[in-house]
Amino acid sequence: MIDLSAVHIDYQTVLPELVVTGTIVVVLLLDLVVPPDRRRWLAVVSVVGLAIALIASIPLWGQHRSAFADTMAGDSFAAFFNVLLLAVTILTVLISPRYLRCVHLDFGEYYALVLSAAAGMMLLAAATSLMTIFLGIELLSLALYVLCSFSRLQEHSQESGLKYLLLGGFATGFLLYGMALIYGATGSTTLLGIRAFVTSSPGTNVLLLLGIGFLSVGLAFKASAAPFHMWTPDVYEGAPTIVTTFMSVATKAAAFAAVGRIFVATLPSLEAQWYVPLALIAVLSMSIGNVVAITQSNLKRLLAYSGIAHAGFIFLGILPGTTDGLAASLFYIAAYAAMNFGAFAVVTALDAKGEHADELTYWTGLFYRRPFLATTMTIFMLSLAGIPPTVGFFAKLFVFQALVTAHLWIPLIVGILTTVISLYYYLRVIVVMVTVPEGAPVEREGVGLPMTVVVGLSALGTTVMGLVPQVFGWALQATRF
Amino acid sequence: MSWYQLPATVPWLTIAVLLPLAGALLVLLAPSAARSAIKQLGVLTTVFTLVLVGLLLGGFQQGTAGLQFDEHHSWITNLGISYHLGVDGLSLFLLGLNALLFLLALAVTDPKMPRFKEFVLLMLVLEAATTGVLVALDLILFYVFWEATLVPLYLLIGAWGEGRRIYAAFKFLIYTVLASFFMLVAILALAALNANQTGTLTFDWSTLVQHPVTGSVDVLGIRVGIQVLLFLGFAVAFAVKMPLFPVHTWLPAAYTASPVPTLLIFAGLISKLGAYGFLRFNLSLFPDGTRSAGPYLAGLAVTGILYGALMALVQSDLKRLVAYASMSHLGFIGLGIFTQNLLGVEGALIQMINHGVIIAALFLTVAMIERRAGTRDRTQLRGLEQRAPLFAALFLVVSLAALGLPGLNGFVGEFLIMLGAWSRFLPLAVGAGLGVILAAWYVLRMYQGAFQEAPSQPTAFAEARWTEAGVLAPLLALMVVLGVSPAFFPAAVQATVQAVVSR
């Protein structure tokens, strides 16, 4: 019998996660009694729960708490990611009911699964132990496996879920094996313990390096970074668009939270050892993502490859191994969340009509049919391409600045060259949208108030986030561990 | 001295940037069908901007080198990025050219064109961006404005252009963005080096100017001064924008594909932004780098003069002919800049204004010819002089200014540049002189071919309308005024230029 009385449980640290978990239970129970045509109330309950969790995250800002014997942290870093992840989840839930009704997937479990995934991501962002990292990853992955195959009658969706499950399971194996090796090498599962070991015995420890290598494979898989990105286009394409919207942004953010905690906060002294593999991942992601995206004619696949490329850019900020570099990555993640969520939300809005919206040909002349969606999509594309004054430019600027300060020229050059390449396919989307359509113009129709608000908010965030200096200040403060 | 004093508490330059944006916002809210209202809105916005810039021109303290109408606020303090706007002799008259050309461009925009509202909207956004480029003094802020000009230009060519417009727009975009990234790296490196030297990270031009970077690094085993490297990083971006030979290949495609109002801005103004960048950043921040690398760029500039002139000689399409003529004249500006002496740089500054005025007028008249005759092929036009004598006279003045006839503005700039080049690069000055002779050849042949001789076929060719003459009038007036009293410019800009070349 283990004596748990000595374990200090700090409820404030885990309050956001607790609230989200509680909401899962409430939603599941409510699902039993809410009549099918009132299921949007589940969305309302979810949003309320998520909003409370968001408010509960804010007091963590500026604190240095830890709970459950140093396995979870309640600090600015966790608060930053909690707010980001919860905001993304709230926006997702807001645009879900209409989409789910349109594609006949209006089931209560959907909300419970999205909330579970969110809880897992928050756990991952706060995790300071190999065990909690694993818990977080599994919680978010299991929920997403189901969500990807949520459209039960669509073969595409089933294929997507299965692919994600099989490959994801494989990656988890790597992750777990790496954790075992690290534990074997250092004798500790908490990041604090590992850090203490690494600083006290500076020699080369093959077991530890192998463990870190395997661990990064698992995390790079979740962040969909090359060369572990193969699943991304297929899964993104097959999954219901709303799920893709959510996971493309939130999963990546959560995975990078763990990457930041492990590499920058725990292992900065081993930077010389992990620099080359991580730089390879970054360079490969940017190159493969941006080059292959050129050939895509399906918008969901195009955005999948673009997401792979952006994972590479986010890795760039990790490379210097400094908290300033990590702050640039954090800003990039927030920027990516705004612009990529917006872009996928536009696809979702068009998909909801049961149209084949993900084929690029469908977007011909969108400006004349859906001026609002086309205009916002233009903003998102410009931002993803990194053109000022959108936030995408500032994100790249801060990351490049970190590389220049650290004199890391080769990743910088690759980053710049691939940015230029990426212009081609992002701008092609805009050109397609302004091309005059053939045949009779289709009637304009609305997309509903929630979608208008959510897309509008994303566009606003994409436009002003870079111009408001405080955001980068927050990213800097979040990395003061 | 200045003609009057403007209150210093008003953020004049911010207003100058925001005014076109406010106009764009109003256009955005207007219904697409209200074409004449949109046109009036667009023209009025540019008129207000021109009036504002005119106020600044009069309120500018002449004879001082420093920045005026200075606005300095902290922005992203953690990275030393600030919001810094200001005007000095380098940017003053370009601001005026900017405002004037946008007014003319919107005045000649045809309200019956497809998607007129979006066109006006993008033009106004473009004006805000180009104004920002001219007044921004923080390197990151400058970069933001610099890149922000690209998207409107890209869309204006891509969606409203003619011929191979998508190809031309893409080619222009890829060239300029790729080049701009070199500048971005140079900006970041410059700030990092400066931070090593002084201990504070800043992107503020006025601070960086006071601490020129020193030292050298090994690049592939060759010892290169850091200033030279940074100089090259900036130079690539500006050379492509200008464009200098051999990175000019996007120019003929883009100029030919541009709709006329955009072309006025493109040829008249955007190319000057490249030249302005050279003056503002390369010469000021890297004086040693300019001394080492400048002669090579001056050589490229003269190559461009001769290449553009030779290419202009063999064109039969008037629009392409003027495009190459423009490139040839831009070579003079490049040559003047890299002489790095008072005469040359002053000449370049004057020539920048002249070139904007002359090229805009040339493209406007070519567009008028095309609208009347249905073609702009030099070989198919003949004897227009007899049908439209007034139009021919207008065209002749513009042509003579283009070939640098004394008494018109083209002569002043070219003469000063040649004087400046004579004392520093004698062989290059001779080459540039050859370019002047070639210019006379292709310009006069263009005039003779299209306007003189007997008309070949009895096609109708209408006389110049009052509206057309009205659009050309300010440009023609400028040609004469600047040609007759060129001393006006040097007096206003001399102090700044002196400060730049004596670094």
Side-chain angles (χ1 to χ4, degrees), chain A residues 368 388 393 398 401 416 419 423 427 431 467 469 473 476, chain B residues 75 78-79 115 143-144 147 151 154 173 177 181 185 188 203:
Chain A
Y368 313 105
F393 163 71
F398 297 155
Q401 162 82 16
I416 285 173
T419 302
L423 280 176
L427 292 173
V431 171
L467 302 173
L476 272 174
Chain B
W75 182 18
N78 294 313
L79 288 179
R115 287 159 286 157
Y143 189 82
V144 168
E147 291 287 274
V151 179
Y154 170 77
L173 189 85
V177 170
F181 274 114
V185 175
L188 293 175
F203 288 92

PDB file of all heavy atoms in Angstrom, chain A residues 368 388 393 398 401 416 419 423 427 431 467 469 473 476, chain B residues 75 78-79 115 143-144 147 151 154 173 177 181 185 188 203:
ATOM      1  N   TYR A 368     -16.996  36.108 -55.478  1.00  0.00           N
ATOM      2  CA  TYR A 368     -18.265  36.609 -55.987  1.00  0.00           C
ATOM      3  C   TYR A 368     -19.439  35.879 -55.353  1.00  0.00           C
ATOM      4  O   TYR A 368     -20.562  36.346 -55.413  1.00  0.00           O
ATOM      5  CB  TYR A 368     -18.289  36.487 -57.511  1.00  0.00           C
ATOM      6  CG  TYR A 368     -17.005  37.007 -58.075  1.00  0.00           C
ATOM      7  CD1 TYR A 368     -16.023  36.153 -58.565  1.00  0.00           C
ATOM      8  CD2 TYR A 368     -16.731  38.376 -58.029  1.00  0.00           C
ATOM      9  CE1 TYR A 368     -14.808  36.647 -59.014  1.00  0.00           C
ATOM     10  CE2 TYR A 368     -15.528  38.870 -58.472  1.00  0.00           C
ATOM     11  CZ  TYR A 368     -14.566  38.001 -58.960  1.00  0.00           C
ATOM     12  OH  TYR A 368     -13.363  38.495 -59.376  1.00  0.00           O
ATOM     13  N   PRO A 388       3.766  40.764 -44.301  1.00  0.00           N
ATOM     14  CA  PRO A 388       3.337  41.808 -43.372  1.00  0.00           C
ATOM     15  C   PRO A 388       2.094  42.503 -43.900  1.00  0.00           C
ATOM     16  O   PRO A 388       1.891  42.523 -45.097  1.00  0.00           O
ATOM     17  CB  PRO A 388       4.510  42.786 -43.346  1.00  0.00           C
ATOM     18  CG  PRO A 388       5.560  42.216 -44.187  1.00  0.00           C
ATOM     19  CD  PRO A 388       5.025  41.073 -44.941  1.00  0.00           C
ATOM     20  N   PHE A 393       3.809  37.125 -40.452  1.00  0.00           N
ATOM     21  CA  PHE A 393       5.116  37.748 -40.681  1.00  0.00           C
ATOM     22  C   PHE A 393       5.877  37.923 -39.374  1.00  0.00           C
ATOM     23  O   PHE A 393       7.060  37.598 -39.271  1.00  0.00           O
ATOM     24  CB  PHE A 393       4.943  39.103 -41.360  1.00  0.00           C
ATOM     25  CG  PHE A 393       6.165  39.961 -41.255  1.00  0.00           C
ATOM     26  CD1 PHE A 393       7.308  39.662 -41.961  1.00  0.00           C
ATOM     27  CD2 PHE A 393       6.188  41.055 -40.402  1.00  0.00           C
ATOM     28  CE1 PHE A 393       8.437  40.435 -41.850  1.00  0.00           C
ATOM     29  CE2 PHE A 393       7.315  41.833 -40.280  1.00  0.00           C
ATOM     30  CZ  PHE A 393       8.444  41.520 -41.005  1.00  0.00           C
ATOM     31  N   PHE A 398      10.213  36.883 -35.509  1.00  0.00           N
ATOM     32  CA  PHE A 398      10.750  36.613 -34.171  1.00  0.00           C
ATOM     33  C   PHE A 398      11.595  35.343 -34.180  1.00  0.00           C
ATOM     34  O   PHE A 398      12.654  35.280 -33.550  1.00  0.00           O
ATOM     35  CB  PHE A 398       9.614  36.493 -33.155  1.00  0.00           C
ATOM     36  CG  PHE A 398       8.820  37.774 -32.999  1.00  0.00           C
ATOM     37  CD1 PHE A 398       7.507  37.748 -32.566  1.00  0.00           C
ATOM     38  CD2 PHE A 398       9.394  38.997 -33.301  1.00  0.00           C
ATOM     39  CE1 PHE A 398       6.785  38.921 -32.439  1.00  0.00           C
ATOM     40  CE2 PHE A 398       8.674  40.173 -33.178  1.00  0.00           C
ATOM     41  CZ  PHE A 398       7.362  40.134 -32.745  1.00  0.00           C
ATOM     42  N   GLN A 401      14.798  36.086 -35.920  1.00  0.00           N
ATOM     43  CA  GLN A 401      15.605  36.914 -35.021  1.00  0.00           C
ATOM     44  C   GLN A 401      16.341  36.041 -34.007  1.00  0.00           C
ATOM     45  O   GLN A 401      17.526  36.226 -33.740  1.00  0.00           O
ATOM     46  CB  GLN A 401      14.684  37.912 -34.318  1.00  0.00           C
ATOM     47  CG  GLN A 401      15.244  38.545 -33.071  1.00  0.00           C
ATOM     48  CD  GLN A 401      16.156  39.703 -33.403  1.00  0.00           C
ATOM     49  OE1 GLN A 401      16.129  40.191 -34.527  1.00  0.00           O
ATOM     50  NE2 GLN A 401      16.963  40.114 -32.465  1.00  0.00           N
ATOM     51  N   ILE A 416      14.088  30.667 -44.866  1.00  0.00           N
ATOM     52  CA  ILE A 416      13.772  31.775 -45.765  1.00  0.00           C
ATOM     53  C   ILE A 416      13.449  31.265 -47.167  1.00  0.00           C
ATOM     54  O   ILE A 416      12.463  31.673 -47.781  1.00  0.00           O
ATOM     55  CB  ILE A 416      14.943  32.755 -45.784  1.00  0.00           C
ATOM     56  CG1 ILE A 416      14.923  33.553 -44.480  1.00  0.00           C
ATOM     57  CG2 ILE A 416      14.873  33.672 -46.967  1.00  0.00           C
ATOM     58  CD1 ILE A 416      16.084  34.434 -44.281  1.00  0.00           C
ATOM     59  N   THR A 419      10.119  29.659 -47.235  1.00  0.00           N
ATOM     60  CA  THR A 419       9.056  30.663 -47.135  1.00  0.00           C
ATOM     61  C   THR A 419       8.729  31.216 -48.511  1.00  0.00           C
ATOM     62  O   THR A 419       7.559  31.399 -48.866  1.00  0.00           O
ATOM     63  CB  THR A 419       9.495  31.810 -46.217  1.00  0.00           C
ATOM     64  OG1 THR A 419       9.808  31.277 -44.941  1.00  0.00           O
ATOM     65  CG2 THR A 419       8.401  32.835 -46.064  1.00  0.00           C
ATOM     66  N   LEU A 423       5.031  30.829 -50.843  1.00  0.00           N
ATOM     67  CA  LEU A 423       4.202  31.890 -51.421  1.00  0.00           C
ATOM     68  C   LEU A 423       3.410  31.370 -52.598  1.00  0.00           C
ATOM     69  O   LEU A 423       2.279  31.758 -52.823  1.00  0.00           O
ATOM     70  CB  LEU A 423       5.107  33.020 -51.918  1.00  0.00           C
ATOM     71  CG  LEU A 423       5.614  33.973 -50.881  1.00  0.00           C
ATOM     72  CD1 LEU A 423       6.552  34.937 -51.539  1.00  0.00           C
ATOM     73  CD2 LEU A 423       4.445  34.720 -50.297  1.00  0.00           C
ATOM     74  N   LEU A 427      -0.590  31.882 -52.428  1.00  0.00           N
ATOM     75  CA  LEU A 427      -1.147  32.911 -53.299  1.00  0.00           C
ATOM     76  C   LEU A 427      -1.994  32.310 -54.402  1.00  0.00           C
ATOM     77  O   LEU A 427      -2.927  32.941 -54.890  1.00  0.00           O
ATOM     78  CB  LEU A 427      -0.019  33.762 -53.882  1.00  0.00           C
ATOM     79  CG  LEU A 427       0.660  34.608 -52.812  1.00  0.00           C
ATOM     80  CD1 LEU A 427       1.862  35.312 -53.372  1.00  0.00           C
ATOM     81  CD2 LEU A 427      -0.314  35.634 -52.257  1.00  0.00           C
ATOM     82  N   VAL A 431      -5.493  33.611 -55.937  1.00  0.00           N
ATOM     83  CA  VAL A 431      -5.741  33.818 -57.364  1.00  0.00           C
ATOM     84  C   VAL A 431      -6.955  33.024 -57.806  1.00  0.00           C
ATOM     85  O   VAL A 431      -7.814  33.524 -58.551  1.00  0.00           O
ATOM     86  CB  VAL A 431      -4.494  33.412 -58.183  1.00  0.00           C
ATOM     87  CG1 VAL A 431      -4.819  33.403 -59.663  1.00  0.00           C
ATOM     88  CG2 VAL A 431      -3.359  34.367 -57.912  1.00  0.00           C
ATOM     89  N   LEU A 467       0.682  43.307 -34.433  1.00  0.00           N
ATOM     90  CA  LEU A 467       0.882  44.743 -34.249  1.00  0.00           C
ATOM     91  C   LEU A 467       0.786  45.139 -32.786  1.00  0.00           C
ATOM     92  O   LEU A 467       1.269  46.196 -32.395  1.00  0.00           O
ATOM     93  CB  LEU A 467      -0.155  45.520 -35.059  1.00  0.00           C
ATOM     94  CG  LEU A 467      -0.138  45.220 -36.559  1.00  0.00           C
ATOM     95  CD1 LEU A 467      -1.290  45.894 -37.276  1.00  0.00           C
ATOM     96  CD2 LEU A 467       1.175  45.687 -37.171  1.00  0.00           C
ATOM     97  N   PRO A 469       2.072  44.865 -29.307  1.00  0.00           N
ATOM     98  CA  PRO A 469       3.352  44.387 -28.782  1.00  0.00           C
ATOM     99  C   PRO A 469       3.217  43.473 -27.566  1.00  0.00           C
ATOM    100  O   PRO A 469       4.110  42.677 -27.301  1.00  0.00           O
ATOM    101  CB  PRO A 469       4.088  45.674 -28.430  1.00  0.00           C
ATOM    102  CG  PRO A 469       3.033  46.700 -28.294  1.00  0.00           C
ATOM    103  CD  PRO A 469       1.916  46.311 -29.196  1.00  0.00           C
ATOM    104  N   GLY A 473       5.334  39.951 -25.531  1.00  0.00           N
ATOM    105  CA  GLY A 473       5.733  40.079 -24.132  1.00  0.00           C
ATOM    106  C   GLY A 473       5.188  38.933 -23.289  1.00  0.00           C
ATOM    107  O   GLY A 473       5.892  38.378 -22.445  1.00  0.00           O
ATOM    108  N   LEU A 476       7.195  35.888 -23.949  1.00  0.00           N
ATOM    109  CA  LEU A 476       8.471  35.949 -23.224  1.00  0.00           C
ATOM    110  C   LEU A 476       8.279  35.583 -21.759  1.00  0.00           C
ATOM    111  O   LEU A 476       9.064  34.832 -21.175  1.00  0.00           O
ATOM    112  CB  LEU A 476       9.049  37.356 -23.326  1.00  0.00           C
ATOM    113  CG  LEU A 476       9.935  37.658 -24.520  1.00  0.00           C
ATOM    114  CD1 LEU A 476      10.283  39.128 -24.539  1.00  0.00           C
ATOM    115  CD2 LEU A 476      11.203  36.825 -24.465  1.00  0.00           C
TER     116      LEU A 476
ATOM    117  N   TRP B  75       7.326  50.279 -29.565  1.00  0.00           N
ATOM    118  CA  TRP B  75       6.352  49.347 -30.128  1.00  0.00           C
ATOM    119  C   TRP B  75       6.603  47.973 -29.513  1.00  0.00           C
ATOM    120  O   TRP B  75       6.027  47.661 -28.488  1.00  0.00           O
ATOM    121  CB  TRP B  75       6.467  49.370 -31.656  1.00  0.00           C
ATOM    122  CG  TRP B  75       5.490  48.504 -32.373  1.00  0.00           C
ATOM    123  CD1 TRP B  75       4.333  47.997 -31.872  1.00  0.00           C
ATOM    124  CD2 TRP B  75       5.578  48.046 -33.710  1.00  0.00           C
ATOM    125  NE1 TRP B  75       3.696  47.266 -32.827  1.00  0.00           N
ATOM    126  CE2 TRP B  75       4.428  47.270 -33.959  1.00  0.00           C
ATOM    127  CE3 TRP B  75       6.515  48.209 -34.741  1.00  0.00           C
ATOM    128  CZ2 TRP B  75       4.201  46.652 -35.193  1.00  0.00           C
ATOM    129  CZ3 TRP B  75       6.271  47.600 -35.962  1.00  0.00           C
ATOM    130  CH2 TRP B  75       5.128  46.836 -36.186  1.00  0.00           C
ATOM    131  N   ASN B  78      10.631  44.636 -26.339  1.00  0.00           N
ATOM    132  CA  ASN B  78      11.522  43.516 -26.036  1.00  0.00           C
ATOM    133  C   ASN B  78      12.541  43.279 -27.151  1.00  0.00           C
ATOM    134  O   ASN B  78      13.630  42.783 -26.899  1.00  0.00           O
ATOM    135  CB  ASN B  78      10.713  42.233 -25.849  1.00  0.00           C
ATOM    136  CG  ASN B  78       9.839  42.325 -24.625  1.00  0.00           C
ATOM    137  OD1 ASN B  78      10.308  42.727 -23.583  1.00  0.00           O
ATOM    138  ND2 ASN B  78       8.571  41.997 -24.759  1.00  0.00           N
ATOM    139  N   LEU B  79      12.171  43.598 -28.365  1.00  0.00           N
ATOM    140  CA  LEU B  79      13.072  43.368 -29.484  1.00  0.00           C
ATOM    141  C   LEU B  79      13.610  44.666 -30.062  1.00  0.00           C
ATOM    142  O   LEU B  79      14.194  44.679 -31.139  1.00  0.00           O
ATOM    143  CB  LEU B  79      12.356  42.571 -30.576  1.00  0.00           C
ATOM    144  CG  LEU B  79      12.096  41.105 -30.233  1.00  0.00           C
ATOM    145  CD1 LEU B  79      11.375  40.410 -31.364  1.00  0.00           C
ATOM    146  CD2 LEU B  79      13.402  40.389 -29.944  1.00  0.00           C
ATOM    147  N   ARG B 115     -15.075  45.106 -61.593  1.00  0.00           N
ATOM    148  CA  ARG B 115     -14.665  45.140 -60.177  1.00  0.00           C
ATOM    149  C   ARG B 115     -13.963  46.461 -59.831  1.00  0.00           C
ATOM    150  O   ARG B 115     -12.898  46.477 -59.235  1.00  0.00           O
ATOM    151  CB  ARG B 115     -13.738  43.953 -59.880  1.00  0.00           C
ATOM    152  CG  ARG B 115     -14.473  42.634 -59.820  1.00  0.00           C
ATOM    153  CD  ARG B 115     -13.529  41.489 -60.040  1.00  0.00           C
ATOM    154  NE  ARG B 115     -13.151  41.398 -61.443  1.00  0.00           N
ATOM    155  CZ  ARG B 115     -12.053  40.815 -61.882  1.00  0.00           C
ATOM    156  NH1 ARG B 115     -11.234  40.266 -61.048  1.00  0.00           N
ATOM    157  NH2 ARG B 115     -11.788  40.776 -63.167  1.00  0.00           N
ATOM    158  N   TYR B 143      10.328  47.471 -43.305  1.00  0.00           N
ATOM    159  CA  TYR B 143      10.159  46.179 -43.980  1.00  0.00           C
ATOM    160  C   TYR B 143       8.686  45.819 -44.092  1.00  0.00           C
ATOM    161  O   TYR B 143       8.233  45.293 -45.114  1.00  0.00           O
ATOM    162  CB  TYR B 143      10.928  45.098 -43.218  1.00  0.00           C
ATOM    163  CG  TYR B 143      10.973  43.789 -43.959  1.00  0.00           C
ATOM    164  CD1 TYR B 143      11.903  43.572 -44.964  1.00  0.00           C
ATOM    165  CD2 TYR B 143      10.076  42.774 -43.672  1.00  0.00           C
ATOM    166  CE1 TYR B 143      11.939  42.394 -45.660  1.00  0.00           C
ATOM    167  CE2 TYR B 143      10.100  41.587 -44.368  1.00  0.00           C
ATOM    168  CZ  TYR B 143      11.036  41.399 -45.354  1.00  0.00           C
ATOM    169  OH  TYR B 143      11.054  40.236 -46.049  1.00  0.00           O
ATOM    170  N   VAL B 144       7.940  46.100 -43.030  1.00  0.00           N
ATOM    171  CA  VAL B 144       6.509  45.797 -43.051  1.00  0.00           C
ATOM    172  C   VAL B 144       5.824  46.563 -44.185  1.00  0.00           C
ATOM    173  O   VAL B 144       5.091  45.994 -44.992  1.00  0.00           O
ATOM    174  CB  VAL B 144       5.875  46.144 -41.692  1.00  0.00           C
ATOM    175  CG1 VAL B 144       4.357  46.128 -41.789  1.00  0.00           C
ATOM    176  CG2 VAL B 144       6.327  45.150 -40.630  1.00  0.00           C
ATOM    177  N   GLU B 147       6.987  45.256 -47.721  1.00  0.00           N
ATOM    178  CA  GLU B 147       6.333  44.027 -48.172  1.00  0.00           C
ATOM    179  C   GLU B 147       4.842  44.250 -48.393  1.00  0.00           C
ATOM    180  O   GLU B 147       4.229  43.580 -49.206  1.00  0.00           O
ATOM    181  CB  GLU B 147       6.534  42.919 -47.134  1.00  0.00           C
ATOM    182  CG  GLU B 147       7.956  42.421 -47.035  1.00  0.00           C
ATOM    183  CD  GLU B 147       8.344  41.580 -48.214  1.00  0.00           C
ATOM    184  OE1 GLU B 147       8.093  40.366 -48.218  1.00  0.00           O
ATOM    185  OE2 GLU B 147       8.896  42.164 -49.164  1.00  0.00           O
ATOM    186  N   VAL B 151       1.353  42.893 -52.007  1.00  0.00           N
ATOM    187  CA  VAL B 151       0.080  42.191 -52.195  1.00  0.00           C
ATOM    188  C   VAL B 151      -0.878  43.004 -53.066  1.00  0.00           C
ATOM    189  O   VAL B 151      -1.426  42.477 -54.036  1.00  0.00           O
ATOM    190  CB  VAL B 151      -0.531  41.836 -50.839  1.00  0.00           C
ATOM    191  CG1 VAL B 151      -1.854  41.145 -51.034  1.00  0.00           C
ATOM    192  CG2 VAL B 151       0.415  40.952 -50.065  1.00  0.00           C
ATOM    193  N   TYR B 154       0.444  42.851 -56.579  1.00  0.00           N
ATOM    194  CA  TYR B 154       0.259  41.513 -57.138  1.00  0.00           C
ATOM    195  C   TYR B 154      -1.179  41.326 -57.605  1.00  0.00           C
ATOM    196  O   TYR B 154      -1.433  40.875 -58.724  1.00  0.00           O
ATOM    197  CB  TYR B 154       0.616  40.477 -56.068  1.00  0.00           C
ATOM    198  CG  TYR B 154       0.253  39.070 -56.411  1.00  0.00           C
ATOM    199  CD1 TYR B 154       1.030  38.336 -57.295  1.00  0.00           C
ATOM    200  CD2 TYR B 154      -0.870  38.461 -55.867  1.00  0.00           C
ATOM    201  CE1 TYR B 154       0.695  37.046 -57.624  1.00  0.00           C
ATOM    202  CE2 TYR B 154      -1.206  37.171 -56.186  1.00  0.00           C
ATOM    203  CZ  TYR B 154      -0.428  36.469 -57.065  1.00  0.00           C
ATOM    204  OH  TYR B 154      -0.767  35.190 -57.377  1.00  0.00           O
ATOM    205  N   LEU B 173       6.323  38.949 -58.113  1.00  0.00           N
ATOM    206  CA  LEU B 173       6.222  38.670 -56.680  1.00  0.00           C
ATOM    207  C   LEU B 173       7.383  37.809 -56.194  1.00  0.00           C
ATOM    208  O   LEU B 173       8.022  38.110 -55.181  1.00  0.00           O
ATOM    209  CB  LEU B 173       4.899  37.965 -56.401  1.00  0.00           C
ATOM    210  CG  LEU B 173       4.624  37.837 -54.920  1.00  0.00           C
ATOM    211  CD1 LEU B 173       3.980  39.103 -54.420  1.00  0.00           C
ATOM    212  CD2 LEU B 173       3.731  36.669 -54.638  1.00  0.00           C
ATOM    213  N   VAL B 177       9.990  39.133 -53.457  1.00  0.00           N
ATOM    214  CA  VAL B 177       9.942  38.553 -52.112  1.00  0.00           C
ATOM    215  C   VAL B 177      11.253  37.861 -51.793  1.00  0.00           C
ATOM    216  O   VAL B 177      11.805  38.020 -50.701  1.00  0.00           O
ATOM    217  CB  VAL B 177       8.762  37.575 -51.989  1.00  0.00           C
ATOM    218  CG1 VAL B 177       8.863  36.808 -50.699  1.00  0.00           C
ATOM    219  CG2 VAL B 177       7.467  38.335 -52.032  1.00  0.00           C
ATOM    220  N   PHE B 181      13.815  38.990 -48.669  1.00  0.00           N
ATOM    221  CA  PHE B 181      14.256  38.179 -47.542  1.00  0.00           C
ATOM    222  C   PHE B 181      15.748  38.354 -47.282  1.00  0.00           C
ATOM    223  O   PHE B 181      16.186  38.276 -46.137  1.00  0.00           O
ATOM    224  CB  PHE B 181      13.902  36.706 -47.753  1.00  0.00           C
ATOM    225  CG  PHE B 181      12.521  36.393 -47.294  1.00  0.00           C
ATOM    226  CD1 PHE B 181      11.533  36.026 -48.172  1.00  0.00           C
ATOM    227  CD2 PHE B 181      12.193  36.480 -45.951  1.00  0.00           C
ATOM    228  CE1 PHE B 181      10.251  35.747 -47.739  1.00  0.00           C
ATOM    229  CE2 PHE B 181      10.921  36.207 -45.517  1.00  0.00           C
ATOM    230  CZ  PHE B 181       9.944  35.840 -46.403  1.00  0.00           C
ATOM    231  N   VAL B 185      17.218  39.356 -43.588  1.00  0.00           N
ATOM    232  CA  VAL B 185      18.359  38.761 -42.883  1.00  0.00           C
ATOM    233  C   VAL B 185      19.393  39.830 -42.550  1.00  0.00           C
ATOM    234  O   VAL B 185      19.919  39.888 -41.439  1.00  0.00           O
ATOM    235  CB  VAL B 185      18.992  37.636 -43.727  1.00  0.00           C
ATOM    236  CG1 VAL B 185      20.232  37.096 -43.053  1.00  0.00           C
ATOM    237  CG2 VAL B 185      17.987  36.533 -43.951  1.00  0.00           C
ATOM    238  N   LEU B 188      18.201  41.877 -39.623  1.00  0.00           N
ATOM    239  CA  LEU B 188      18.345  41.168 -38.342  1.00  0.00           C
ATOM    240  C   LEU B 188      19.817  41.108 -37.937  1.00  0.00           C
ATOM    241  O   LEU B 188      20.173  41.330 -36.776  1.00  0.00           O
ATOM    242  CB  LEU B 188      17.772  39.761 -38.459  1.00  0.00           C
ATOM    243  CG  LEU B 188      16.253  39.683 -38.648  1.00  0.00           C
ATOM    244  CD1 LEU B 188      15.810  38.249 -38.876  1.00  0.00           C
ATOM    245  CD2 LEU B 188      15.535  40.252 -37.446  1.00  0.00           C
ATOM    246  N   PHE B 203      16.245  48.649 -33.795  1.00  0.00           N
ATOM    247  CA  PHE B 203      16.109  48.651 -35.247  1.00  0.00           C
ATOM    248  C   PHE B 203      15.914  50.081 -35.754  1.00  0.00           C
ATOM    249  O   PHE B 203      15.521  50.284 -36.879  1.00  0.00           O
ATOM    250  CB  PHE B 203      14.925  47.788 -35.671  1.00  0.00           C
ATOM    251  CG  PHE B 203      15.170  46.319 -35.504  1.00  0.00           C
ATOM    252  CD1 PHE B 203      14.821  45.662 -34.340  1.00  0.00           C
ATOM    253  CD2 PHE B 203      15.763  45.589 -36.519  1.00  0.00           C
ATOM    254  CE1 PHE B 203      15.059  44.308 -34.195  1.00  0.00           C
ATOM    255  CE2 PHE B 203      15.998  44.236 -36.389  1.00  0.00           C
ATOM    256  CZ  PHE B 203      15.644  43.593 -35.213  1.00  0.00           C
TER     257      PHE B 203
END
